[in-house]
Amino acid sequence: MDLVRATTDERVLRTLMEHRRLTRAELAVLIGISKPTAGESVRRLTDAGLIADTGERTAGGRGRGRVGSYYALRQDVGTALAVGIGPEGVIAEAVDAYGEVAARAEQEISRPARPAQVAAAVRTVAADAATRAPAPPRLAVVSAADPVDRATGRLVQLPDAPFLVGELDPVTVLAPYVTGPVAVDNDVNWAAQAERAAANPPLADFAYLYLGEGLGCALVSDGEVRRGATGLAGEIAHLVTTGPQGRAMPLTGVFAELGLHRPGSAAIDVDRLLSAATASPPLREALGRALGGVIAALVALADPAAVVVGGPWGGNEAILDAVRAGFAGGPRKVAIRAAATTALPALTGARLDAASRLRAAIVAAAGAAHAIPS
Amino acid sequence: MDLVRATTDERVLRTLMEHRRLTRAELAVLIGISKPTAGESVRRLTDAGLIADTGERTAGGRGRGRVGSYYALRQDVGTALAVGIGPEGVIAEAVDAYGEVAARAEQEISRPARPAQVAAAVRTVAADAATRAPAPPRLAVVSAADPVDRATGRLVQLPDAPFLVGELDPVTVLAPYVTGPVAVDNDVNWAAQAERAAANPPLADFAYLYLGEGLGCALVSDGEVRRGATGLAGEIAHLVTTGPQGRAMPLTGVFAELGLHRPGSAAIDVDRLLSAATASPPLREALGRALGGVIAALVALADPAAVVVGGPWGGNEAILDAVRAGFAGGPRKVAIRAAATTALPALTGARLDAASRLRAAIVAAAGAAHAIPS
DNA sequence: CGATTCTAGTCAGGGCTCTTGCCTGGAAAG
DNA sequence: CTTTCCAGGCAAGAGCCCTGACTAGAATCG
């Protein structure tokens, strides 16, 4: 059973991913293994083509003593693509195993988004990021501004909800640009992941309410985003809540009634909403009551420790106060606060996951390298 | 690193838990290890006092060949208590590592339940089951018919919800009867666990709606019951839904308005509800609409593959049909069906978990036995 | 009734990975 | 130039596992 050797190699790889470059002696101390073991593992991983002597040597002020050889992940272990697809544009980033962005490409999309155009834009930015990356992408992680089918990764149209990106199969579109799998999820779920990573102390159970052109919600339970059976968890457009006149109606109906949709669309006109909410306290209160009802349902069903509100108009303090007021009537209490990550939160979450998956793929390659010896 | 030896011992223990008694040769074949390794592991586990030669010998029709010695878990590796606490009574069962009930004690409670009386009953049945069990209980798993605080295990009173059992701290009450930890959770969550275990093919994402004196809901996501930050996930009494006249109101208000509560209590009078629902189609439809609204919220937020309805009046087919009709108006679809486990579902779930925790405790003891050698 | 057959369990030898202890190489400090 | 100090390699030994051969003992067969 070479299980113990595999865990040693994994620890060496993970430690190098965390510290970028280390000598064998440093590895032995950090991991808590002996020097011969560290040396053996480094030799195996070098033979497997995963790490290499960087050529750098120690003695940079460490005092006397023999110089050590720094080892690091090889450049060509690969990168991972993080792709963000939204109605206003498409972004692709190639991230390395350290989580750093090595290449980036971006393209705007004319509105309304047409699927063929979006697919072409995704191909363009993916190809661009892939060619400019220092190593070919092994896998891709996609954030899309529409509901995602968990089994297939395709975008799903729900009745009366805005279809911001439209019919699209990111897995098929991106498969030619990567050698490994393509993972797809909703932008709100990725934003919640970014929020979870940013939280200190860690937040294991919370809800993320996204308020933008579309309305979405992500539920994090026991430290993970929970997607539900088909991936449609958190699709709150039809959740029944309190309407402007106190009547019960689906959340999306509230926006229709308040005249906040873009003409001929179920998407929210964010600019109009923000100016209307500033100008009209009653409208702001109506929004707060409607969203407070959504949060009441969230709290009753999922019991989050906090509700994080993000998105283009979710960070607005006046709206946040209205939401707090709209929720306050209920019997339960919960902290409602603005999201910490405001710049491209979904891409941030996708990027974190892309790096994490890339690291897992590299570790798996180390395990496979010895299983099928050359 | 004795990691590999620890996994060998664990596999031997787990295999014995599954097959009750095996010879060393059978262990080697079942686990896929060599005979000497199996023999070594058996010797270690025997020295640690976890397993023993049962005295039984093979050759029961196996043909010629040397007789083998059967080994099995020792009787005194311990049992686990599964305790069910509800308004009508208290049950304690001592289960062994095979999941079989070795002793059982039961006591009724006069209504309304008074905390001191409930605590006394819990002590009585726990002591009774513990003394009649073949080995002392190492741990306890408690199902209680009230919301449970996840951090402390105490029962929680929520406003306007029936407090069926009342102020009680099962951890403190049961600690004297066990040497290890006491785990407490809501009866609905345990019932959902029982349902998950009974489902074939496995159900990883579903919701369990419990309809009894109290109203509850459990959410299973990615194969686990999700309890939320404080353990109050699924407390749906205040979820806003459609009332009898089409007005929005909390679920508990629907029952108040329909006159289905026990006098002076927020608990539902099940007998009255069942006869009224049979006699009056409009009332049945009103119930169906209210519960359909709850399921719509469940589906929007958690996206279950199915909604399982259980509890004293949840299995009623006429009510189930009304619930299906009440939900059908929404944009999403989901299978709504009656629970498979109808006899003491919560205790069944708690019992499964008690056995599972006992097995984990025994395996942990094997790991610890060598860490601190005598 | 003895020889044969067949299986449970043990023993011996060897491989793998880990560890400790010792040695060598080589640059900086004094 | 000598001393100091650290990176790295080598050798020996321990622990766990495996294979293959051996022993023990009961059932079956001729």
Side-chain angles (χ1 to χ4, degrees):
Chain A
M1 196 171 294
D2 40 14
L3 182 144
V4 50
R5 202 251 332 264
T7 62
T8 299
D9 286 359
E10 166 157 359
R11 286 202 289 173
V12 168
L13 270 176
R14 296 254 179 221
T15 308
L16 279 174
M17 287 168 182
E18 197 180 335
H19 292 81
R20 310 202 79 126
R21 69 198 226 289
L22 293 168
T23 68
R24 279 163 281 194
E26 289 168 342
L27 277 168
V29 172
L30 275 170
I31 300 175
I33 57 178
S34 66
K35 285 191 293 173
T37 301
E40 278 293 299
S41 182
V42 163
R43 193 190 47 68
R44 280 194 299 266
L45 294 171
T46 304
D47 290 350
L50 295 173
I51 67 175
D53 187 338
T54 62
E56 299 166 292
R57 297 293 177 259
T58 62
R62 194 189 302 217
R64 26 191 135 171
R66 175 173 172 180
V67 296
S69 306
Y70 279 118
Y71 282 79
L73 289 183
R74 277 175 61 158
Q75 288 275 351
D76 59 10
V77 287
T79 56
L81 287 180
V83 180
I85 310 177
E88 57 310 300
V90 174
I91 304 179
E93 292 180 346
V95 299
D96 60 24
Y98 309 113
E100 305 223 331
V101 178
R104 181 188 168 93
E106 196 167 343
Q107 186 170 325
E108 293 201 354
I109 290 176
S110 65
R111 303 189 70 114
R114 294 206 344 264
Q117 183 204 5
V118 174
V122 169
R123 287 195 191 90
T124 304
V125 295
D128 194 6
T131 51
R132 297 216 321 278
R138 300 174 66 127
L139 54 89
V141 173
V142 181
S143 161
D146 272 322
V148 173
D149 183 285
R150 188 176 183 175
T152 64
R154 296 179 94 104
L155 274 48
V156 178
Q157 162 106 62
L158 293 178
D160 291 326
F163 207 27
L164 300 173
V165 171
E167 191 77 34
L168 184 66
D169 180 1
V171 176
T172 305
V173 170
L174 284 168
Y177 302 99
V178 296
T179 54
V182 178
V184 188
D185 202 355
N186 190 283
D187 56 346
V188 183
N189 284 344
W190 291 125
Q193 299 240 33
E195 200 67 23
R196 179 170 64 80
N200 189 8
L203 261 179
D205 297 271
F206 70 99
Y208 188 101
L209 190 59
Y210 180 90
L211 307 177
E213 292 189 37
L215 301 165
C217 166
L219 294 176
V220 176
S221 287
D222 296 325
E224 295 278 340
V225 170
R226 303 297 165 186
R227 303 180 62 187
T230 60
L232 301 183
E235 292 299 334
I236 53 176
H238 291 92
L239 204 59
V240 173
T241 185
T242 312
Q245 317 301 332
R247 295 203 329 275
M249 62 169 60
L251 181 59
T252 182
V254 176
F255 293 86
E257 190 143 320
L258 294 174
L260 297 173
H261 281 158
R262 287 169 180 272
S265 155
I268 291 166
D269 187 327
V270 176
D271 292 336
R272 190 135 47 88
L273 182 147
L274 281 171
S275 57
T278 311
S280 160
L283 183 142
R284 203 163 61 226
E285 282 164 25
L287 280 180
R289 274 197 306 278
L291 294 169
V294 170
I295 293 177
L298 273 179
V299 168
L301 287 174
D303 185 28
V307 176
V308 174
V309 184
W313 55 281
N316 183 293
E317 265 307 323
I319 289 177
L320 216 51
D321 279 336
V323 171
R324 289 196 188 96
F327 172 72
R332 303 268 291 269
K333 302 288 161 231
V334 72
I336 299 175
R337 57 164 210 248
T341 308
T342 53
L344 295 176
L347 190 64
T348 302
R351 191 192 300 135
L352 289 168
D353 192 59
S356 161
R357 284 172 192 257
L358 176 60
R359 287 191 281 266
I362 293 170
V363 168
H370 196 260
I372 308 143
S374 54
Chain B
M1 197 172 293
D2 40 14
L3 181 145
V4 50
R5 202 251 332 264
T7 62
T8 299
D9 287 358
E10 166 159 0
R11 286 201 290 174
V12 168
L13 272 175
R14 296 256 178 217
T15 308
L16 280 173
M17 287 168 183
E18 197 180 337
H19 292 81
R20 310 201 79 126
R21 71 197 224 290
L22 293 167
T23 68
R24 279 163 280 193
E26 289 168 341
L27 277 168
V29 172
L30 275 169
I31 300 176
I33 58 178
S34 66
K35 286 191 289 174
T37 302
E40 277 293 298
S41 182
V42 164
R43 193 191 46 69
R44 280 194 299 265
L45 294 170
T46 305
D47 291 349
L50 296 173
I51 68 175
D53 187 336
T54 61
E56 301 165 291
R57 296 294 177 261
T58 61
R62 196 190 301 219
R64 21 192 136 173
R66 174 174 173 178
V67 294
S69 307
Y70 278 119
Y71 283 80
L73 288 184
R74 279 175 60 158
Q75 288 276 353
D76 60 9
V77 287
T79 56
L81 287 180
V83 180
I85 310 176
E88 58 309 301
V90 174
I91 304 179
E93 292 179 346
V95 298
D96 60 24
Y98 309 113
E100 305 223 331
V101 178
R104 183 188 166 92
E106 197 166 344
Q107 185 169 327
E108 292 201 356
I109 289 176
S110 66
R111 306 188 66 116
R114 293 207 343 264
Q117 183 204 5
V118 174
V122 169
R123 286 194 192 89
T124 305
V125 295
D128 194 6
T131 51
R132 296 217 320 278
R138 300 174 64 127
L139 54 90
V141 172
V142 181
S143 161
D146 271 322
V148 173
D149 183 286
R150 186 176 185 174
T152 64
R154 294 180 96 104
L155 274 47
V156 178
Q157 162 106 62
L158 293 178
D160 291 325
F163 206 28
L164 300 173
V165 172
E167 191 78 34
L168 184 66
D169 181 2
V171 175
T172 306
V173 170
L174 284 167
Y177 302 99
V178 296
T179 53
V182 178
V184 188
D185 203 354
N186 190 283
D187 56 347
V188 182
N189 284 344
W190 292 124
Q193 298 240 34
E195 200 66 24
R196 180 170 64 79
N200 188 9
L203 262 178
D205 297 271
F206 71 98
Y208 188 101
L209 191 59
Y210 180 89
L211 307 177
E213 292 188 38
L215 300 165
C217 166
L219 293 175
V220 175
S221 287
D222 296 326
E224 297 277 342
V225 170
R226 302 297 165 187
R227 303 179 63 186
T230 60
L232 301 183
E235 292 300 334
I236 54 176
H238 291 92
L239 203 58
V240 173
T241 185
T242 312
Q245 318 301 332
R247 294 202 331 275
M249 62 169 59
L251 181 60
T252 183
V254 175
F255 294 86
E257 189 147 329
L258 293 174
L260 297 173
H261 280 160
R262 286 168 180 273
S265 156
I268 291 165
D269 187 327
V270 175
D271 292 337
R272 188 135 49 86
L273 183 146
L274 280 172
S275 58
T278 310
S280 159
L283 183 141
R284 203 162 63 224
E285 283 164 25
L287 281 179
R289 274 198 304 278
L291 293 169
V294 170
I295 293 177
L298 274 179
V299 169
L301 286 173
D303 185 29
V307 176
V308 175
V309 185
W313 54 280
N316 183 293
E317 265 307 322
I319 289 177
L320 215 52
D321 279 336
V323 171
R324 288 197 189 96
F327 171 71
R332 303 267 292 267
K333 303 289 162 229
V334 74
I336 299 175
R337 57 164 211 248
T341 308
T342 53
L344 295 176
L347 190 63
T348 302
R351 191 192 299 136
L352 289 169
D353 192 58
S356 161
R357 284 172 193 257
L358 176 60
R359 288 190 281 265
I362 293 169
V363 168
H370 196 259
I372 308 140
S374 53

